[in-house]
Amino acid sequence: MMSYKYLIPDGKAYKITTFVSLAHIILVAWLFIGIATVVYSAYFKTGLSLIAFTVLIIVLMLLRSSKTRLFPEEKMIKIDTGVRGKEPIQYPFSDFSGFELETVYYLRLPINTELFVRFGTGETSKRHVLAQSFGKRKIQQLYNELEEILNT
């Protein structure tokens, strides 16, 4: 197996590194809002509810690592759908039609970059999120690594 910066070897497969994204920062902000509500206001139960809900979501995000895997030897990718109890969707590399990078800017600063993969063409085309991050550089490097695997 080759050595990649953002693809983690997992047996005969590679899994994609999880990056800190806008969703993570929003959850941490909600946690601090809940703490501030408990400490500085009379809405104690509301603050505790915010803290409990936010901590639950953060724990679930941390526990559920990416199940999206690339199998270079089998020329297949398994994409996690995020639905509990549902198996990942399998696509052969031959169905691959391209990657898409989408960046959201605020005051000319990238605040969220998402990498999508597209399989199929026309009406049967499916698009899945592979990774997201604040900056564009990490996602671009991941894109290059994925292109290298798909083209070998």
Side-chain angles (χ1 to χ4, degrees), residues 21 25 29 31 35 49 70 82 87 91 111 116 121 125 147 149:
S21 67
I25 300 303
L31 181 64
I35 291 169
S49 299
L70 281 97
E87 291 294 318
Y91 293 104
I111 59 171
F116 295 94
T121 56
S125 177
E147 278 283 329
I149 286 181

Side-chain angles (χ1 to χ4, degrees), residues 26-150:
I26 290 171
L27 284 174
V28 171
W30 272 109
L31 181 64
F32 286 129
I33 290 169
I35 291 169
T37 304
V38 167
V39 174
Y40 297 112
S41 76
Y43 299 103
F44 184 76
K45 290 179 184 177
T46 303
L48 281 180
S49 299
L50 275 173
I51 291 170
F53 180 70
T54 306
V55 167
L56 176 68
I57 292 175
I58 289 172
V59 166
L60 290 174
M61 284 177 78
L62 292 174
L63 288 178
R64 189 191 162 279
S65 62
S66 173
K67 293 181 182 169
T68 300
R69 304 280 191 266
L70 281 97
F71 295 90
E73 292 176 7
E74 300 171 18
K75 301 237 182 259
M76 184 171 300
I77 184 170
K78 292 183 181 180
I79 306 227
D80 182 25
T81 60
V83 178
R84 184 182 168 114
K86 188 174 179 184
E87 291 294 318
I89 302 169
Q90 296 182 12
Y91 293 104
F93 287 177
S94 59
D95 287 352
F96 172 76
S97 61
F99 289 111
E100 297 175 24
L101 269 174
E102 288 185 9
T103 304
V104 177
Y105 291 95
Y106 180 73
L107 299 175
R108 295 187 183 178
L109 297 171
I111 59 171
N112 197 38
T113 302
E114 294 178 314
L115 176 64
F116 295 94
V117 64
R118 186 172 291 280
F119 289 97
T121 56
E123 291 182 16
T124 60
S125 177
K126 299 285 184 183
R127 181 175 122 160
H128 301 282
V129 176
L130 289 182
Q132 58 182 347
S133 175
F134 274 116
K136 205 171 178 180
R137 184 181 313 133
K138 290 179 185 177
I139 298 295
Q140 184 65 48
Q141 290 174 344
L142 173 64
Y143 172 91
N144 294 340
E145 291 177 4
L146 290 169
E147 278 283 329
E148 185 179 323
I149 286 181
L150 290 172

